[in-house]
């Protein structure tokens, strides 16, 4: 049950981070947003070190670095995807891919679900799609490049979660620190190489930093949830992060919530209840 609550907290934090990051990427080049978000996230994880401890064995370093590379790709691809849209088509694609890959890995590693879980898991996957689908999801046609970017963002998010899960359970926040250090280095290097193409627009500093902080909190909650529960279940609950984005858009931007999204939130509640019984 604790793992489920942690996964829900991770999902909400990811959703809020994506909302802020997507808005930030509309104001300036996506790399300008990420080059602020990633170091801000690293700063938070360093502050968490005294409270959760950290070890840096070769295995931790390897999995942490792998998650960092995936995280850098996820940051850039996701924020760019949300910036160019249409969000109501691309967001479900990203969320579904980010859920399915960890589920497959968890089941291949021998995780087993009870009867309630076998019903709750597909319901949660359906909720992932419904909660992130807007009115135009059936008719809007994204460009091929945008669709490929959404697939790439979902795969990068999934790989980041899988790599973090593979790190030793006694490594504390070591994998998070290593991962974010690597993703920050990759992002800053890419920004330096592409500096002439970043444009002159100033990034939304506070918004970008807040996105990084929330992403760091989401990573920590996911790591704790995955260490205490099954990856297949935790990953699907975490993939409900579009719910946070949708609710924020409704509250902050006064965007309308469509019937499919309301049904998706209800489906998510039922799915979480069933998974809690697993």
């Amino acid at each position: 049950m604790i793992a489920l609550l942690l996964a829900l907290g991770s999902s909400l934090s990811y959703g809020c981070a994506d909302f802020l990051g997507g808005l930030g990427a509309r104001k300036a080049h996506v790399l300008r947003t990420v080059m602020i978000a990633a170091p801000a996230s690293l700063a938070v994880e360093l502050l968490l070190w005294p409270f959760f401890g950290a070890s840096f064995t070769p295995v931790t370093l390897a999995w942490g670095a792998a998650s960092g590379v995936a995280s850098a790709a996820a940051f850039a691809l996701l924020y760019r995807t949300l910036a160019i849209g249409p969000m109501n088509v691309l967001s479900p694609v990203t969320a579904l891919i980010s859920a399915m890959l960890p589920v497959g890995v968890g089941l291949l590693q021998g995780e087993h679900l009870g009867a309630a879980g076998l019903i709750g898991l597909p319901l949660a996957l359906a909720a992932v799609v419904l909660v992130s689908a807007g009115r135009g999801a059936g008719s809007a046609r994204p460009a091929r490049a945008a669709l490929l970017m959404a697939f790439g963002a979902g795969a990068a998010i999934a790989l980041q979660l899988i790599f973090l899960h593979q790190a030793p359970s006694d490594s504390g926040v070591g994998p998070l620190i290593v991962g974010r250090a690597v993703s920050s280095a990759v992002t800053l290097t890419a920004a330096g190489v592409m500096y002439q193409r970043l444009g002159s627009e100033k990034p939304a500093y506070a918004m970008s930093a807040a996105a990084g902080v929330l992403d760091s909190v989401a990573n920590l909650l996911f790591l704790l949830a995955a260490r205490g529960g099954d990856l297949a279940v935790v990953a699907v609950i975490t993939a409900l992060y579009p719910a946070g984005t949708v609710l924020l858009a409704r509250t902050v931007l006064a965007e309308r919530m469509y019937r499919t999204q309301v049904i998706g939130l209800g489906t998510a509640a039922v799915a979480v209840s069933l998974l809690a019984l697993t």
Side-chain angles (χ1 to χ4, degrees):
M1 185 65 180
I2 294 178
L4 198 66
L5 293 175
L6 289 170
L8 284 170
S10 177
S11 175
L12 182 60
S13 297
Y14 276 131
C16 295
D18 291 349
F19 175 79
L20 294 175
L23 286 182
R26 291 179 176 179
K27 298 179 179 296
H29 192 284
V30 65
L31 272 180
R32 289 193 180 274
T33 299
V34 178
M35 66 189 293
I36 295 171
S41 183
L42 174 60
V44 172
E45 284 159 5
L46 288 172
L47 291 174
L48 293 172
W49 188 346
F51 300 98
F52 293 91
S55 68
F56 300 96
T57 63
V59 175
T60 300
L61 291 173
W63 287 117
S67 75
V69 174
S71 175
F75 259 130
L77 288 171
L78 180 61
Y79 290 173
R80 181 58 182 158
T81 298
L82 293 176
I84 63 177
M87 286 189 187
N88 56 12
V89 178
L90 299 177
S91 185
V93 172
T94 300
L96 191 59
I97 296 297
S98 71
M100 289 299 295
L101 292 181
V103 167
V105 170
L107 295 178
L108 287 174
Q109 289 182 339
E111 295 178 357
H112 298 285
L113 299 174
L118 292 175
I119 299 173
L121 196 62
L123 271 180
L125 290 173
V128 167
V129 176
L130 290 171
V131 81
S132 51
R135 185 177 185 179
S139 58
R141 294 175 62 90
R144 180 179 299 179
L147 195 57
L148 289 175
M149 204 174 295
F151 271 100
I157 294 170
L159 289 175
Q160 178 193 1
L161 300 182
I162 291 168
F163 293 153
L164 286 176
H165 179 258
Q166 300 305 312
S169 58
D170 60 353
S171 57
V173 294
L176 298 180
I177 293 174
V178 174
R180 194 56 75 214
V182 169
S183 66
S184 297
V186 170
T187 299
L188 294 175
T189 300
V193 172
M194 299 177 60
Y195 183 76
Q196 298 297 328
R197 289 185 281 173
L198 297 186
S200 59
E201 298 88 351
K202 291 184 178 181
Y205 292 102
M207 196 178 296
S208 302
V213 170
L214 287 167
D215 185 80
S216 185
V217 171
N219 285 341
L220 173 65
L221 294 176
F222 169 81
L223 189 64
L224 296 176
R227 287 173 176 173
D230 290 337
L231 176 62
V233 174
V234 169
V236 172
I237 298 302
T238 300
L240 288 168
Y241 61 83
T245 306
V246 167
L247 291 173
L248 266 179
R250 175 69 182 91
T251 303
V252 178
L253 302 179
E255 290 187 2
R256 179 181 175 184
M257 284 185 64
Y258 296 103
R259 184 177 299 176
T260 52
Q261 295 171 321
V262 176
I263 294 173
L265 290 173
T267 303
V270 175
V272 169
S273 300
L274 288 170
L275 291 172
L277 300 175
T278 301

